[in-house]
Amino acid sequence: MTATSLPAQRGFPIGSLVSARGREWVVLPGSDTDFLILRPLAGGDADIAGVFVEEGVMHATFSAPDATDLGDDRSARLLRDALRIGFRASGGPFRSIASLAVDPRPYQLVPLLLALRQETTRLLIADDVGIGKTVEAALVAAELVAQGSARRMTVLCPPSLAEQWQSELQAKFGMAAEPVLPGTVRRLERGLEYGQSIFERYPYTIVSTDYIKSDMRRDDFLRAAPELVIVDEAHACVSDETGAGGRGRTQRYRLLKDLAADAHRHLILVTATPHSGKEETFRNLIGLLDPALRDIDLAGETGRRALASRMVQRRRADIREYLGADTKFPSDRATDERTYELSPQYRTLLDNVLGYVQGQITDHSGSRVQQRIRWWSALSLLRALASSPAAAAATLTTRAASAGASTEQAADATGAALVLDLMNDDALDVADAVPGAVVDDSPGSTGSTTDRLNDLRSQALAIAQESDAERRKSLDTKLALVTATVKRLLKDGFHPIVFCRFIPTAHYLADHLTEVFPKAVVEVVTGELPPEDRAARVRDLADRAGTTNKVLVATDCLSEGVNLQHDFQAVVHYDLAWNPTRHEQREGRVDRFGQPRDIVRAVTLYGADNVIDRLVMDVLIRKHEAIRRDLGISVPVPATSDQVLTALLDGVMKRGTAYVQETLEFDLPETRQLEFDWQSSAEAERRSRSRYAHHTIRPDEVRREVEAMRAALGSPDDVAGFVATALQECGGILTREPYGFTVEPTGLPVGLRDALGQPAKAMPFHRDLPAPRGAAVLARTDSTSAGIARYVLDAALDPALPADARPARRCGVIVTDAVTIPTVLLLTRVRANLKLPGRYGPHTQVAEEARPLAFTSTPSNPQWLTPEAVETLLAARPDHNLSPDIARNIMTGILAALPAITGHLDQIAHDLADSLRDAHVRVRTAARGDRAGALGIRGLTVDPQLPVDILGVYLYRPAPMKTGATA
């Protein structure tokens, strides 16, 4: 397009239109009298450039349409939608939404609205697994930054989640965050100035909580900590006053308390399990939001309201169809239990191990500390053998982890952390190394003991190192069962993740599956890999496999927080977790939003003749599943489960080989008490969710903001219709599919094919998420849809392009029965200078709003249509043809008369600015109270930049009365 260049005037206001380097630009904040930061008129943030005024920058006005460049009724709709979809800086109260590469679901706006109602955001996002807590937290963070309430941000998380956070923030929110991990710190420190902290140099960071919590690092972090902190897996960062969670948890809690002590720091806590069964720990967690919550009566109305104003907690059922938006989670998780019986060789090995174990734990020689060390080493060996012969062999050559303990408590703490699947262990990253069974400092340690261990190891290796796959499966029937299970899943079109407990088991299993499934791509991920490399290994697997069969074998290092739903649809529990929450976390890797399959599968393998497996299944796993299906959410097992489990296991080990003949009685007082406590926790969770879910934000409040966003930026239906029409108008051949449509790109213009990424074959467009990896989605935030919008707008403004490459035109005359008097439709764009009161002073931004306006009568005395009538007009279809010469003459006259409407458009722009300001005031004052809210709007201004841009002019003429019709 061309713009009219004007003589230089005083300065270049923010939001004004200028001409430089042969094109038109919008002036952005950060410009001064000599140097301007500019964005192309039809460009995005990637096209922003810096230009010196002395290069010949001129003020400009938007050129009028050309009466010879006529389009039809579709031109107006295409141009209007291209404008809205392409906007990245709308004027509404949510300053970040338009610029994001993610389209928030309506339910994801609830935490954002809750956060913006607070002067300093203190928020606990406790939605269920797989709902999208990362997006919700990042959405709040992006908005706080966009509004000038925060400049720097840190995400504290387990190291295994750092790479995922980095990817999400960059790809969806445009925030380039640096991971601060043991492996990255040296590189980051090399770029620092003297005395400068990493957190002062890099505005956005993702920090390993375990790395930064240590006494030698926390002080530097606290000194330079950003004003906005997100804490992922926050439940693992609080402890009770006894310090029962271990020293690491106590250090994390101390760090968070010190961060929360700054009353001006924004703090967002994220966890799917805020209540672990310990009331004091939960109180400490919510006390980080507001110290008053630590001791408030949550049973009373005042306490419930206080917590509900800072906490969001919802199940899938709460949000699946929230405000009519169909959020596609898998409709069901098909669970299955499959059993195996030990082969004679494996049973012999197990009997020999049990005999050794029985002798170890009934040996009362030595000190109490040495007895506890032997107890834990014996349990370690049993658990490893239940996992695989490879894990057993490794355990039999590894010194017991608790062997260096000096007290009973230390021996129990070390043993439990490595053998049991504690959810409150000292490290955030899951341990998957074998715990070891060799106790070399016992009074009873003799050469015969060593010989016995070596013999057991030889028996285990004889099975693990069997070279023939069929013979190996006959020796290890668990391996045979997983082979059959994976084969069935692959045949049914499911790509499984097989979870193991120990590293040797994972490699043993991956080697076997690689051999028996030569056409599938098999990969293994364990804690041997640094956390930042694990996600890369999974991506590499997906890329290598493409659409062919793939199997991922992993330890529990991948069971928390990692998104695997795009490439896998099933989970196999090769090893039982001794904490059902771990099972839930494993299955949550595939059963979450974004999973393309309607039904996911979870298969649990266990030994029918293995009393320990039956104990774990009966006492823990099945009860957990029953509660999940009844309540719709997972409820963590009570803290007493570890004591109950160890008591039952003690009984098993003391029986030795007798366990084969005996039926162990699980209905003991301890197990009945555990079940009672668990049911009580489930009822408390049910009441908690009814109290604190999201009732502080009413659905009608969310609906109002969603409708305002969609009016400014386009609804999902608008996007779908626009993309399909634009592609067809440019010569694309569309084929309708159940998920949306495909387009054959061969006949599309070169520029549009570039916007699509030069596809070589038919390109699929999916109506909504979830969609396969790499597929285009009919959403304004999808890069392909946004690229089509930019192309349509650019082409409309460039009359030099061939006619068939320009699906939208800037003017037209439409003859239709939809009007009874001539009606002029204007597609306008209002640019405004938005000044927000920020924590660090006024925060200036450029806002853009597209508005279709329509009037009857004359430009000097227009009679404006209501917004509803304008939308009806845009949907009008032509009913009569009109000679091109007549249409050009009519349009020439309309365009010549347009200057008379300038004053009216100026007033509309001021009215729009006032309405935008009202929207900002409404969001910032709601629930804060007028007095507190006034602090958040002091200095808030919205000033339109005039004149209003007129991008399109369309005349709708009444169709001639049909012959025989009566007036």
Side-chain angles (χ1 to χ4, degrees), residues 562-731:
V562 182
N563 294 332
L564 302 173
Q565 72 272 23
H566 300 294
D567 299 303
F568 302 94
Q569 308 82 31
V571 163
V572 178
H573 301 286
Y574 188 73
D575 290 334
L576 294 179
W578 287 6
N579 188 316
T581 301
R582 185 72 72 200
H583 265 225
E584 180 66 22
Q585 288 176 333
R586 291 173 175 180
E587 295 170 11
R589 297 314 97 216
V590 300
D591 187 4
R592 60 197 302 113
F593 176 67
Q595 170 60 255
R597 296 295 286 262
D598 184 52
I599 296 176
V600 296
R601 292 186 184 177
V603 183
T604 301
L605 312 183
Y606 71 97
D609 53 354
N610 184 331
V611 71
I612 293 181
D613 277 2
R614 289 193 289 113
L615 185 158
V616 173
M617 288 296 296
D618 289 344
V619 176
L620 297 176
I621 304 298
R622 290 192 179 113
K623 284 185 172 60
H624 176 270
E625 176 65 12
I627 291 174
R628 186 185 72 83
R629 291 212 171 261
D630 176 53
L631 192 57
I633 58 169
S634 293
V635 177
V637 62
T640 55
S641 66
D642 297 332
Q643 294 94 312
V644 174
L645 183 60
T646 53
L648 292 172
L649 290 169
D650 184 68
V652 170
M653 292 192 292
K654 286 178 178 177
R655 282 170 171 78
T657 57
Y659 89 97
V660 178
Q661 289 79 28
E662 295 179 5
T663 300
L664 190 65
E665 178 58 59
F666 297 150
D667 187 23
L668 301 175
E670 294 88 348
T671 56
R672 289 195 295 272
Q673 183 63 44
L674 173 64
E675 183 171 2
F676 175 80
D677 292 343
W678 209 344
Q679 290 291 348
S680 298
S681 294
E683 287 304 316
E685 186 72 14
R686 191 194 306 270
R687 292 192 300 270
S688 167
R689 287 173 180 265
S690 68
R691 289 172 180 169
Y692 316 130
H694 54 281
H695 303 304
T696 304
I697 303 290
R698 298 192 305 272
D700 61 298
E701 297 177 73
V702 182
R703 181 179 288 107
R704 178 176 58 193
E705 304 305 338
V706 169
E707 290 173 352
M709 283 171 46
R710 289 177 173 172
L713 303 174
S715 70
D717 289 342
D718 292 334
V719 177
F722 163 78
V723 170
T725 302
L727 292 172
Q728 287 176 315
E729 289 291 301
C730 289

Side-chain angles (χ1 to χ4, degrees), residues 61-336:
T61 57
F62 202 81
S63 62
D66 185 349
T68 64
D69 187 32
L70 294 172
D72 56 17
D73 62 299
R74 287 168 293 194
S75 293
R77 293 191 295 274
L78 279 173
L79 191 56
R80 188 275 301 265
D81 289 338
L83 268 174
R84 294 195 298 178
I85 295 167
F87 275 165
R88 292 296 178 265
S90 69
F94 302 126
R95 302 304 308 136
S96 64
I97 296 292
S99 63
L100 303 183
V102 61
D103 190 11
R105 318 297 291 189
Y107 73 85
Q108 291 178 319
L109 295 178
V110 173
L112 176 59
L113 284 168
L114 203 59
L116 295 183
R117 290 181 168 192
Q118 305 170 25
E119 289 293 337
T120 298
T121 297
R122 292 291 174 96
L123 188 63
L124 172 58
I125 301 176
D127 285 338
D128 204 3
V129 172
I131 282 181
K133 294 182 293 298
T134 299
V135 169
E136 292 174 340
L139 188 60
V140 174
E143 189 64 26
L144 292 174
V145 170
Q147 294 197 4
S149 186
R151 291 175 176 172
R152 298 176 299 136
M153 177 195 71
T154 282
V155 176
L156 295 176
C157 66
S160 57
L161 303 185
E163 194 276 343
Q164 179 174 304
W165 267 102
Q166 183 185 32
S167 175
E168 292 278 296
L169 290 174
Q170 177 66 61
K172 296 179 179 178
F173 298 89
M175 304 173 81
E178 289 286 352
V180 181
L181 305 168
T184 66
V185 168
R186 287 186 178 275
R187 173 180 61 82
L188 297 176
E189 287 179 337
R190 283 197 293 267
L192 301 181
E193 298 176 3
Y194 178 76
Q196 188 180 34
S197 167
I198 287 174
F199 309 102
E200 294 168 327
R201 170 67 176 82
Y202 300 98
Y204 308 132
T205 52
I206 302 163
V207 183
S208 163
T209 313
D210 276 336
Y211 173 78
I212 209 69
K213 75 178 190 297
S214 67
D215 295 338
M216 63 182 295
R217 301 184 186 95
R218 64 185 301 278
D219 290 341
D220 177 64
F221 177 60
L222 289 171
R223 178 187 66 80
E227 54 274 9
L228 168 59
V229 175
I230 298 173
V231 184
D232 199 0
E233 303 295 340
H235 62 278
C237 297
V238 288
S239 63
D240 57 25
E241 300 308 316
T242 67
R247 182 170 181 268
R249 181 180 281 252
T250 301
Q251 286 180 312
R252 291 193 289 270
Y253 181 42
R254 180 185 167 204
L255 172 65
L256 261 59
K257 283 203 298 183
D258 287 343
L259 287 169
D262 183 348
H264 298 291
R265 175 170 287 118
H266 302 293
L267 186 63
I268 304 170
L269 307 178
V270 181
T271 175
T273 54
H275 205 304
S276 62
K278 292 184 178 181
E279 181 67 15
E280 185 177 2
T281 302
F282 176 66
R283 290 286 189 159
N284 287 341
L285 178 67
I286 61 178
L288 295 170
L289 306 174
D290 181 351
L293 293 174
R294 175 69 180 77
D295 301 308
I296 200 170
D297 178 14
L298 294 177
E301 184 65 20
T302 300
R304 289 199 299 268
R305 287 184 176 275
L307 181 55
S309 68
R310 296 186 180 276
M311 179 177 175
V312 178
Q313 186 177 34
R314 298 166 294 183
R315 301 174 301 170
R316 292 186 185 185
D318 298 327
I319 52 88
R320 188 182 291 275
E321 296 181 355
Y322 186 68
L323 296 185
D326 183 16
T327 301
K328 289 180 169 47
F329 295 103
S331 64
D332 191 21
R333 184 191 306 176
T335 59
D336 189 16

Side-chain angles (χ1 to χ4, degrees), residues 912-930:
L912 175 59
D914 290 341
S915 68
L916 291 175
R917 185 182 185 281
D918 291 343
H920 281 271
V921 170
R922 180 180 67 245
V923 169
R924 285 171 171 250
T925 58
R928 295 187 189 183
D930 293 339

Side-chain angles (χ1 to χ4, degrees), residues 377-714:
S377 66
L379 185 58
S380 299
L381 180 55
L382 269 184
R383 183 156 199 201
L385 184 59
S387 176
S388 72
T395 300
L396 285 162
T397 56
T398 303
R399 186 169 184 264
S402 58
S406 58
T407 65
E408 290 182 59
Q409 293 78 9
D412 288 341
T414 302
L418 294 176
V419 181
L420 304 180
D421 294 326
L422 303 180
M423 301 308 294
N424 61 340
D425 51 8
D426 197 46
L428 283 174
D429 207 17
V430 178
D432 51 10
V434 291
V438 178
V439 183
D440 54 11
D441 55 357
S442 168
S445 294
T446 64
S448 62
T449 301
T450 302
D451 291 342
R452 191 172 185 184
L453 292 177
N454 287 335
D455 180 59
L456 293 174
R457 179 174 180 271
S458 296
Q459 293 177 54
L461 287 175
I463 299 173
Q465 295 179 348
E466 170 59 50
S467 59
D468 181 74
E470 292 303 316
R471 171 66 176 163
R472 192 185 313 126
K473 287 190 293 183
S474 69
L475 295 174
D476 186 354
T477 51
K478 183 181 181 183
L479 199 63
L481 179 59
V482 77
T483 303
T485 300
V486 170
K487 182 178 181 179
R488 177 60 182 270
L489 289 171
L490 294 176
K491 182 180 179 181
D492 292 346
F494 290 82
H495 299 161
I497 309 169
V498 185
F499 278 106
C500 308
R501 178 61 176 83
F502 300 113
I503 292 172
T505 300
H507 288 291
Y508 168 71
L509 179 55
D511 290 343
H512 174 78
L513 294 178
T514 300
E515 181 179 354
V516 298
F517 297 112
K519 295 183 179 180
V521 182
V522 180
E523 188 57 270
V524 59
V525 175
T526 71
E528 298 164 297
L529 287 173
E532 58 269 25
D533 291 345
R534 297 169 193 167
R537 178 73 63 88
V538 175
R539 285 197 304 271
D540 178 66
L541 165 63
D543 293 340
R544 285 188 289 123
T547 58
T548 62
N549 287 336
K550 55 183 174 289
V551 180
L552 175 61
V553 180
T555 62
D556 284 313
C557 71
L558 284 186
S559 67
E560 283 191 84
V562 182
N563 294 332
L564 302 173
Q565 72 272 23
H566 300 294
D567 299 303
F568 302 94
Q569 308 82 31
V571 163
V572 178
H573 301 286
Y574 188 73
D575 290 334
L576 294 179
W578 287 6
N579 188 316
T581 301
R582 185 72 72 200
H583 265 225
E584 180 66 22
Q585 288 176 333
R586 291 173 175 180
E587 295 170 11
R589 297 314 97 216
V590 300
D591 187 4
R592 60 197 302 113
F593 176 67
Q595 170 60 255
R597 296 295 286 262
D598 184 52
I599 296 176
V600 296
R601 292 186 184 177
V603 183
T604 301
L605 312 183
Y606 71 97
D609 53 354
N610 184 331
V611 71
I612 293 181
D613 277 2
R614 289 193 289 113
L615 185 158
V616 173
M617 288 296 296
D618 289 344
V619 176
L620 297 176
I621 304 298
R622 290 192 179 113
K623 284 185 172 60
H624 176 270
E625 176 65 12
I627 291 174
R628 186 185 72 83
R629 291 212 171 261
D630 176 53
L631 192 57
I633 58 169
S634 293
V635 177
V637 62
T640 55
S641 66
D642 297 332
Q643 294 94 312
V644 174
L645 183 60
T646 53
L648 292 172
L649 290 169
D650 184 68
V652 170
M653 292 192 292
K654 286 178 178 177
R655 282 170 171 78
T657 57
Y659 89 97
V660 178
Q661 289 79 28
E662 295 179 5
T663 300
L664 190 65
E665 178 58 59
F666 297 150
D667 187 23
L668 301 175
E670 294 88 348
T671 56
R672 289 195 295 272
Q673 183 63 44
L674 173 64
E675 183 171 2
F676 175 80
D677 292 343
W678 209 344
Q679 290 291 348
S680 298
S681 294
E683 287 304 316
E685 186 72 14
R686 191 194 306 270
R687 292 192 300 270
S688 167
R689 287 173 180 265
S690 68
R691 289 172 180 169
Y692 316 130
H694 54 281
H695 303 304
T696 304
I697 303 290
R698 298 192 305 272
D700 61 298
E701 297 177 73
V702 182
R703 181 179 288 107
R704 178 176 58 193
E705 304 305 338
V706 169
E707 290 173 352
M709 283 171 46
R710 289 177 173 172
L713 303 174

Side-chain angles (χ1 to χ4, degrees), residues 792-846:
V792 170
L793 181 56
D794 286 341
L797 301 176
D798 187 359
L801 287 176
D804 60 359
R806 302 175 63 221
R809 305 296 175 86
R810 295 184 60 197
C811 58
V813 179
I814 299 100
V815 182
T816 176
D817 286 334
V819 298
T820 57
I821 57 176
T823 305
V824 176
L825 174 72
L826 305 176
L827 288 184
T828 68
R829 171 171 51 192
V830 179
R831 286 170 282 110
N833 184 351
L834 177 63
K835 186 177 293 184
L836 297 172
R839 180 173 290 183
Y840 308 99
H843 191 66
T844 303
Q845 297 179 343
V846 172

